[in-house]
């Protein structure tokens, strides 16, 4: 039996069908099958699985898997539910995703640099008052995470004229970006940044990274943008820092539980902008193209695409 490619998701059937159609057109010689339609022999024969929030029981039933391709860039949930014994996992690395994220980072950085939260409050009071203008060169933006997304976002911010400092776990170098690393580097970034942008993956090391102790190290009146994962920031500590005036505003696109419940106090907090996880949506066309290229290359060479380090979580 030829080795089929299993498509294992928790997507609704219409969305799943659209993905299957797009990837299938790019892989006409592959037998790409939704998991629920696979028989026992097909499940045993499948050597590749393309997954999106799959049921781990379904994935484990594919006993012949050589590797797994995630439909998403973030794989922390996949790593957690499949465990260390899972086949190698390939995350989606898509230049279009990085472009969209950098676009969102720049847009919401300008939102804070131009004091748009203040104008929103003034509008509710019918107050006509011009706030002082801050030139981007006088605003230090700290970027937490200098992976693919963080690197492109930092470059976009530099191009817009901001003073940019980046932080990563290990040393990195970027033109026109002050690069810091380690605990001391993190403390320094939080101390100097007017706006801190979080683009870190969620790992055991980054969970609760921005807790009360670190938030109080941030420059008085600074702002936070979290486009990473909700649990990177301790929400209760963030709210307390905003209420105390230590921080001026937070733009949150990610939360510990999504969608954000209707009774969450974050919706009504005057110093929080709530977004429904829209900073960098997966582009179906480009993602399907990359997945098809990775599978095609594997069939031609027998070599796996770059896989994640399960211990580090990315």
């Amino acid at each position: 039996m030829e080795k089929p490619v299993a498509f294992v998701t928790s997507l609704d059937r219409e969305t799943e069908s659209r993905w299957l159609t797009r990837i299938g057109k790019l892989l006409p010689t592959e037998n790409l099958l939704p998991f629920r339609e696979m028989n026992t022999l097909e499940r045993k024969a499948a050597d590749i699985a393309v997954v999106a929030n799959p049921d781990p029981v379904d994935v484990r039933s594919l006993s012949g898997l050589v590797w797994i391709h995630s439909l998403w860039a973030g794989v922390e949930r996949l790593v957690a539910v499949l465990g260390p014994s899972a086949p190698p996992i390939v995350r989606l690395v898509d230049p279009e995703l990085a472009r969209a994220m950098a676009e969102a980072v720049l847009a919401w950085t300008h939102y804070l640099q131009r004091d748009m939260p203040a104008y929103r409050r003034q509008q509710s009071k019918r107050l006509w008052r011009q706030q002082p203008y801050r030139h981007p060169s006088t605003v230090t933006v700290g970027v937490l995470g200098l992976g693919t997304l963080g690197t492109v976002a930092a470059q976009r911010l530099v191009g817009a004229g901001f003073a940019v400092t980046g932080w990563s776990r290990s040393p990195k170098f970027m033109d026109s970006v002050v690069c810091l690393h380690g605990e001391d580097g993190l403390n320094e970034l939080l101390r100097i940044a007017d706006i801190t942008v979080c683009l870190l993956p969620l790992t055991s090391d980054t969970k609760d990274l921005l807790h009360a102790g670190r938030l109080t190290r941030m420059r008085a009146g600074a702002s936070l943008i979290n486009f990473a994962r909700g649990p990177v920031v301790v929400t209760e500590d963030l709210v307390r820092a905003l209420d105390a005036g230590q921080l001026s505003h937070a733009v949150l696109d990610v939360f510990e539980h999504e969608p954000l419940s209707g009774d969450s106090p974050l919706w009504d907090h005057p110093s929080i902008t709530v977004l429904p996880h829209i900073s960098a949506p997966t582009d179906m066309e480009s993602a399907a193209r990359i997945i098809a290229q990775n599978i095609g290359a594997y069939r031609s060479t027998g070599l796996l695409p770059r896989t994640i380090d399960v211990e580090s979580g990315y």
Side-chain angles (χ1 to χ4, degrees):
M1 171 182 285
E2 66 173 336
K3 296 181 178 180
V5 176
F7 199 72
V8 193
T9 82
S10 59
L11 303 172
D12 62 83
R13 293 203 176 193
E14 180 181 351
T15 303
E16 185 177 271
S17 177
R18 290 168 58 208
W19 277 106
L20 285 164
T21 298
R22 280 166 171 75
I23 299 173
K25 284 182 178 179
L26 297 168
L27 292 171
T29 62
E30 292 288 338
N31 189 18
L32 182 62
L33 298 173
F35 177 83
R36 64 179 175 278
E37 296 179 9
M38 299 174 74
N39 60 38
T40 301
L41 290 178
E42 289 169 333
R43 293 179 182 183
K44 288 182 178 179
D47 61 340
I48 303 170
V50 178
V51 305
N53 301 335
D55 184 327
V57 174
D58 293 345
V59 176
R60 293 187 188 107
S61 73
L62 301 170
S63 57
L65 279 187
V66 176
W67 59 286
I68 295 169
H69 203 312
S70 173
L71 211 58
W72 316 134
V75 292
E76 70 281 347
R77 179 185 178 278
L78 191 58
V79 170
V81 299
L82 294 185
S85 62
I89 297 171
V90 175
R91 60 185 286 265
L92 179 69
V93 179
D94 185 352
E96 172 57 23
L97 189 74
R99 186 207 64 77
M101 178 62 83
E103 176 184 81
V105 167
L106 180 60
W108 290 98
T109 298
H110 276 308
Y111 172 83
L112 296 169
Q113 170 241 338
R114 296 298 299 264
D115 289 323
M116 294 304 166
Y119 289 118
R120 183 66 188 88
R121 290 192 297 271
Q122 289 178 193
Q123 180 180 339
S124 66
K125 299 175 182 178
R126 303 191 179 192
L127 180 61
W128 184 281
R129 177 183 298 159
Q130 296 179 352
Q131 299 293 328
Y133 173 71
R134 293 189 296 170
H135 194 279
S137 63
T138 69
V139 177
T140 298
V141 182
V143 178
L144 298 180
L146 293 176
T148 301
L149 300 183
T151 296
V152 177
Q155 291 169 338
R156 190 76 177 269
L157 290 165
V158 168
F162 289 98
V164 182
T165 296
W167 180 84
S168 54
R169 185 178 62 173
S170 56
K172 292 199 173 181
F173 174 81
M174 289 179 61
D175 288 336
S176 303
V177 175
V178 177
C179 294
L180 304 174
H181 68 280
E183 182 69 19
D184 290 343
L186 177 58
N187 291 336
E188 176 65 8
L189 182 146
L190 295 175
R191 184 185 70 82
I192 66 173
D194 299 294
I195 301 168
T196 296
V197 181
C198 186
L199 295 174
L200 292 163
L202 178 60
T203 69
S204 58
D205 291 329
T206 63
K207 186 178 186 299
D208 298 334
L209 182 77
L210 296 181
H211 52 65
R214 291 198 172 104
L215 293 171
T216 56
R217 295 190 185 111
M218 294 179 68
R219 173 176 287 187
S223 301
L224 175 69
I225 298 173
N226 187 12
F227 286 171
R229 287 294 186 264
V232 174
V233 180
V234 180
T235 303
E236 296 80 4
D237 293 347
L238 173 62
V239 170
R240 279 193 287 269
L242 291 166
D243 290 343
Q246 170 67 26
L247 302 183
S248 62
H249 201 82
V251 177
L252 306 179
D253 187 45
V254 288
F255 305 88
E256 186 167 2
H257 302 288
E258 297 183 6
L260 186 64
S261 65
D263 60 358
S264 170
L266 300 181
W267 289 107
D268 297 320
H269 197 288
S271 298
I272 293 177
T273 297
V274 171
L275 301 174
H277 205 138
I278 47 81
S279 54
T282 298
D283 182 273
M284 190 176 288
E285 294 296 337
S286 62
R289 196 160 50 244
I290 289 166
I291 291 168
Q293 289 169 352
N294 286 341
I295 292 174
Y298 171 72
R299 293 297 192 213
S300 298
T301 66
L303 300 176
L304 271 64
R306 181 180 177 183
T307 59
I308 68 162
D309 180 344
V310 174
E311 288 191 7
S312 66
Y314 58 91

